[in-house]
């Protein structure tokens, strides 16, 4: 069998697998949202970082959807918001630039707050997604068997100019967040990094954290692993290979703030770079 035929066969199998996954109820969980910076560690005067934002199965390959930048937030090393430039959204990815004018660690995040609903109308099953503000206008008042779920998401990455600091990494106390015990731009193969997962500013105990190295497209195994947070929401990861790594977690509870919502789902995802 020629290598060309093998590559095309593997590609066809991936497409078939994706079609099958899209027919399953939990298919959305297979798609990972991520921010991919052009680099994470910088030196020099006022460097620039370019960040791509996408949703895909294969990290960090642009194959599915762009990640919308409506909730984009960049926090500078002094803890204040800073501007972005050249933001755009294409067919498969979004992108933006940030001029790094301060020394220290930046936090770049895309935040989302939404609502998922299912209901019946005239005997037909309906599904809806949008914002809390538009839900009352777009879901009929006579809808039956209404089920509403609030969704909170944070997707982020970190970049540092010169010496790292922690001011921008301070949790805001809303949704699922990562508290850096080890600076996220100080990760080296062979070292063990420690973090704390927080939900509304409090430890997220017994949560499962996925750890997925990039480059899935170019190997037979994902090399994905999981770790579990302890009673204080803390967890550790020992880095075994260099490159970009995605970590993520999701939790659900009954602490919804949206009217008529009976459940809240909070998710978190971050792109980290591990140096050789």
């Amino acid at each position: 069998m020629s290598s060309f035929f093998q590559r095309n066969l593997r590609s066809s199998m991936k497409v078939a697998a994706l079609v099958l996954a899209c027919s399953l109820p939990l298919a959305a969980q297979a798609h990972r949202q991520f921010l991919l910076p052009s680099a994470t560690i910088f030196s020099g005067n006022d460097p620039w970082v370019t960040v791509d934002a996408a949703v895909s199965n294969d990290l960090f390959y642009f194959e599915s959807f762009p990640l919308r930048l409506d909730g984009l937030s960049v926090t500078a090393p002094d803890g204040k918001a800073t501007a972005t430039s050249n933001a755009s959204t294409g067919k498969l990815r979004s992108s933006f630039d940030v001029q790094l004018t301060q020394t220290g660690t930046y936090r770049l995040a895309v935040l989302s707050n939404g609502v998922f609903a299912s209901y019946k109308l005239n005997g037909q099953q309906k599904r809806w997604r949008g914002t809390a503000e538009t839900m009352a206008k777009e879901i009929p008042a006579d809808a039956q068997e209404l089920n509403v779920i609030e969704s909170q998401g944070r997707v982020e990455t970190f970049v540092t100019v010169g010496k790292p600091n922690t001011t921008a990494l301070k949790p805001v106390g809303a949704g699922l967040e990562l508290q850096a015990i080890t600076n996220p731009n100080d990760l080296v193969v062979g070292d063990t990094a420690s973090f704390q997962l927080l939900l509304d500013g409090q430890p997220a105990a017994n949560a499962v954290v996925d750890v997925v190295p990039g480059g899935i497209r170019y190997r037979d195994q994902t090399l994905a692993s999981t770790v579990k947070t302890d009673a204080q929401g803390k967890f550790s990861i020992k880095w075994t290979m260099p490159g970009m790594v995605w970590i993520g977690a999701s939790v659900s509870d009954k602490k919804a703030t949206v009217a008529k919502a009976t459940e809240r789902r909070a998710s978190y995802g971050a792109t980290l770079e591990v140096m050789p």
Side-chain angles (χ1 to χ4, degrees):
M1 185 181 295
S2 69
S3 60
F4 175 80
F5 181 79
Q6 289 177 327
R7 287 195 299 270
N8 280 275
L9 178 59
R10 287 195 295 266
S11 178
S12 298
M13 291 174 66
K14 281 189 175 184
V15 171
L18 178 59
V19 171
L20 175 61
C22 289
S23 68
L24 300 176
L26 300 180
Q29 294 183 5
H31 287 84
R32 300 181 180 92
Q33 301 179 355
F34 63 85
L35 297 180
L36 181 63
S38 53
T40 62
I41 299 175
F42 295 84
S43 61
N45 297 322
D46 300 343
W48 287 80
V49 61
T50 294
V51 182
D52 291 315
V55 184
S56 71
N57 286 322
D58 290 348
L59 298 167
F60 293 94
Y61 183 73
F62 312 116
E63 62 177 3
S64 299
F65 313 103
L67 180 63
R68 301 293 175 179
L69 301 178
D70 299 348
L72 177 60
S73 172
V74 179
T75 307
D78 63 0
K80 298 179 181 179
T82 192
T84 62
S85 301
N86 306 317
S88 65
T89 296
K91 181 67 174 179
L92 297 177
R93 66 179 174 182
S94 299
S95 65
F96 61 93
D97 298 326
V98 182
Q99 187 173 18
L100 309 174
T101 60
Q102 298 180 28
T103 298
T105 303
Y106 287 74
R107 183 184 194 182
L108 301 83
V110 173
L111 312 178
S112 61
N113 289 279
V115 177
F116 299 91
S118 63
Y119 60 93
K120 283 187 177 181
L121 187 66
N122 299 324
Q124 294 186 342
Q125 186 69 44
K126 303 287 185 178
R127 297 185 184 278
W128 179 92
R129 65 181 299 172
T131 65
E133 292 75 19
T134 59
M135 181 176 67
K137 300 177 183 178
E138 297 184 5
I139 295 182
D142 57 347
Q144 300 176 331
E145 299 181 22
L146 178 64
N147 182 40
V148 179
I149 298 173
E150 179 182 5
S151 174
Q152 295 177 323
R154 173 181 287 270
V155 182
E156 61 186 10
T157 191
F158 311 90
V159 300
T160 292
V161 181
K163 184 179 180 179
N165 73 333
T166 59
T167 304
L169 307 182
K170 183 179 179 181
V172 299
L176 205 56
E177 297 181 87
L178 190 72
Q179 171 69 66
I181 299 173
T182 301
N183 189 285
N185 292 139
D186 188 20
L187 310 178
V188 179
V189 171
D191 288 353
T192 298
S194 297
F195 305 101
Q196 184 181 30
L197 196 64
L198 303 175
L199 181 62
D200 298 335
Q202 300 300 314
N206 301 316
V208 175
V209 180
D210 295 314
V211 183
V212 188
I216 296 174
R217 181 179 175 85
Y218 304 107
R219 58 178 183 261
D220 294 331
Q221 297 179 335
T222 65
L223 302 181
S225 60
T226 60
V227 293
K228 198 171 186 179
T229 64
D230 63 16
Q232 287 74 45
K234 296 180 180 180
F235 65 97
S236 297
I237 304 171
K238 183 172 182 179
W239 308 112
T240 59
M241 58 188 297
M244 294 294 188
V245 178
W246 183 89
I247 66 172
S250 61
V251 298
S252 61
D253 59 25
K254 301 298 183 181
K255 296 181 180 180
T257 60
V258 175
K260 298 184 180 180
T262 57
E263 181 182 354
R264 174 185 60 167
R265 295 178 183 174
S267 63
Y268 177 85
T271 301
L272 309 175
E273 185 174 26
V274 180
M275 306 305 291

